[in-house]
Amino acid sequence: MDDRLYSITEVAQAFGVRVSALRYYEERGLLTPTRRRARVRYYDRAALRSLALLRLWHHDGAMSLDDTATLMAGPDPADWRDTLLRRTDDLDQQITRLQKAKDALDHFLDCTSDNPAECPVIDDILNRRIDQALRDSSPPG
């Protein structure tokens, strides 16, 4: 078993984060140093595992720190499942918006017009959006 302790500076360098981020995680209750000597925080392998888990959810899972805190807080399956379901729904919506954006940009690249603002397909879309905006903003009556 690895009993070595790693200073906050070593941990920050190893994980590619700032020391201030590690301190912030501690303030939020997401990371606890194993020991302090003078003003220096030290972390053991278990603390590094917590940090790796935090980074997995926060960075790789693109989750907020609040949602990450919910997942790290404990074993209540309802809370963490609801949190994950809500986040996956959010990601699905983002993916849909991003796919629409990519499709629009791909169309601009493939359009026969030399000026994307004058593309006949885009012109039709813009006219429909203008008409819809005017309908939505017109006073009833």
Side-chain angles (χ1 to χ4, degrees):
M1 177 151 179
D2 185 4
D3 292 338
R4 181 168 176 223
L5 294 177
Y6 302 86
S7 73
I8 193 168
T9 303
E10 291 173 314
V11 172
Q13 288 173 348
F15 281 82
V17 298
R18 292 186 296 241
V19 168
S20 61
L22 296 175
R23 288 186 183 125
Y24 182 69
Y25 295 156
E26 182 181 352
E27 287 174 24
R28 296 280 313 257
L30 297 168
L31 181 65
T32 304
T34 306
R35 183 173 301 143
R36 286 178 185 233
R37 290 186 193 136
R39 295 177 46 93
V40 179
R41 294 160 173 88
Y42 289 89
Y43 302 87
D44 64 7
R45 187 134 183 115
L48 297 181
R49 185 180 189 287
S50 292
L51 177 59
L53 190 56
L54 183 156
R55 302 278 297 159
L56 174 72
W57 284 329
H58 182 56
H59 262 303
D60 300 355
M63 299 183 74
S64 70
L65 281 178
D66 287 340
D67 286 345
T68 299
T70 298
L71 294 176
M72 294 186 78
D76 185 351
D79 283 348
W80 68 261
R81 285 187 191 281
D82 288 347
T83 299
L84 291 178
L85 286 170
R86 189 176 60 254
R87 184 63 186 133
T88 56
D89 287 345
D90 290 346
L91 288 172
D92 285 341
Q93 290 174 17
Q94 288 176 347
I95 289 167
T96 299
R97 282 193 312 273
L98 290 171
Q99 187 60 55
K100 286 180 182 179
K102 184 181 179 313
D103 291 347
L105 295 176
D106 285 344
H107 176 79
F108 283 135
L109 290 171
D110 293 338
C111 188
T112 56
S113 174
D114 287 337
N115 181 349
E118 296 175 4
C119 173
V121 172
I122 298 303
D123 192 47
D124 183 49
I125 292 170
L126 294 177
N127 283 326
R128 280 186 278 145
R129 287 188 180 186
I130 291 167
D131 292 343
Q132 181 66 45
L134 293 174
R135 266 194 309 277
D136 290 348
S137 69
S138 63

